[in-house]
Amino acid sequence: MNARVLESIKKSAAVPSVPQVVLRFIQIMQDPEFEYGHLVKALSADPGTVSELLRLANSALFGVRNKVVAPKQALTLLGPKRTRSLLLGRYLVDAMSRRHVASLDMSYFWRRSLTGSVIAARFAQKQIPRMQDEAFIAGLLADIGVPILTEAFPAQYAPIVAEYRPHGACVTCEEELEAVEVTHAEVSAMVLAHWTVPDSVVSAVNLSHSMTPGSGDVATVARILHAADRIGKLLCEVPSAETISCTCSAALEHVGVDEGVLVQLLPTIEADIEDLADALRIDVIPSKVYSLIAKAVEQKLATAGT
């Protein structure tokens, strides 16, 4: 890690800002004994944030029967952690969407980030339920370093970002270090720490591309992020059956998830991604890859059982 480079990036215009009301909300949550009333008061200080929170709470993502009309009601429905994740994600999407990041297809970027976050949350639900919301926000923002590095070092990072596309090569940390002296995971973690996101999320993102993240809750989430990113990339392109088999097997082995879990997940993941995209106001292209991968994994399981 090159602290000098990270510090220069943090002070640059490449790092998007987050509204003070969201930062205040996150800071209150850092106290293990925080009170709901303080969170509601922080949110209510900004009418725009209240409006956005109510819109999120009433979105198809949560399927509420009775319209949510008050911040306290929305906070109770969503829970503090999910509220934090959705607001942070929404404002970040808005901030990045106003920029033109040369050489990076932001539609593909967000589609891949959304897919990774949904997979990460579902894997965490199976493996470490208490960290499901952390896995979700980490999955959504784990690659935020990519557009930031693209903007901060347009010439040096150009060969790297050129591979961030369907069927692009998986760029290694070594290649990033050689190009700009830091990895996008390090930049993502630095930015999340700057936004006072919980340390567990920051550490998991920082370790997300390590094949040996260690043990414990953070390491488990880091492994989940790595697997979710590998599989999420597949779901944003049309891979060969051999690629599906090899990639899914390696990713699932790394995280310790049974292939049957992925087979159960795939039929519902597209609807989850579309609902989340609608909530965060991101345009995503419907994919036919989900059923293709499900079929390939099912065939692999059937073959292994014979």
Side-chain angles (χ1 to χ4, degrees), residues 125-183:
Q125 186 179 30
K126 291 288 185 180
Q127 281 204 317
I128 185 168
R130 63 183 176 277
M131 297 288 284
Q132 184 175 358
D133 285 301
E134 284 81 356
F136 169 80
I137 189 62
L140 183 65
L141 304 181
D143 282 351
I144 194 62
V146 173
I148 289 174
L149 282 171
T150 302
E151 190 170 342
F153 303 103
Q156 301 95 315
Y157 204 68
I160 305 293
V161 77
E163 297 299 331
Y164 200 89
R165 56 178 173 79
H167 303 289
C170 291
V171 176
T172 66
C173 295
E174 290 73 20
E175 289 174 300
E176 289 189 312
L177 289 171
E178 183 178 351
V180 292
E181 299 183 54
V182 292
T183 69

Side-chain angles (χ1 to χ4, degrees), residues 69-114:
V69 296
K72 184 176 181 180
Q73 186 184 2
L75 188 61
T76 301
L77 169 70
L78 301 174
K81 286 185 178 181
R82 188 169 295 171
T83 298
R84 176 185 64 198
S85 298
L86 289 171
L87 286 178
L88 189 57
R90 175 68 200 104
Y91 279 113
L92 180 59
V93 169
D94 185 58
M96 296 305 297
S97 297
R98 291 197 298 267
R99 302 180 178 198
H100 173 68
V101 183
S103 306
L104 179 61
D105 182 347
M106 290 303 294
S107 176
Y108 170 77
F109 172 84
W110 284 120
R111 185 164 69 251
R112 184 165 160 181
S113 297
L114 285 176

Side-chain angles (χ1 to χ4, degrees), residues 187-240:
V187 173
S188 298
M190 176 271 292
V191 172
L192 294 179
H194 178 61
W195 292 336
T196 65
V197 171
D199 291 342
S200 57
V201 176
V202 173
S203 298
V205 168
N206 199 25
L207 292 168
S208 60
H209 289 282
S210 171
M211 298 306 294
T212 56
S215 59
D217 289 355
V218 168
T220 299
V221 175
R223 292 177 186 276
I224 286 172
L225 294 178
H226 182 85
D229 179 62
R230 295 287 303 278
I231 297 171
K233 183 179 185 301
L234 287 183
L235 294 174
C236 294
E237 54 195 38
V238 184
S240 67

Side-chain angles (χ1 to χ4, degrees), residues 50 53 241 261 277 299:
V50 170
L53 177 61
V261 173
Q299 288 176 343

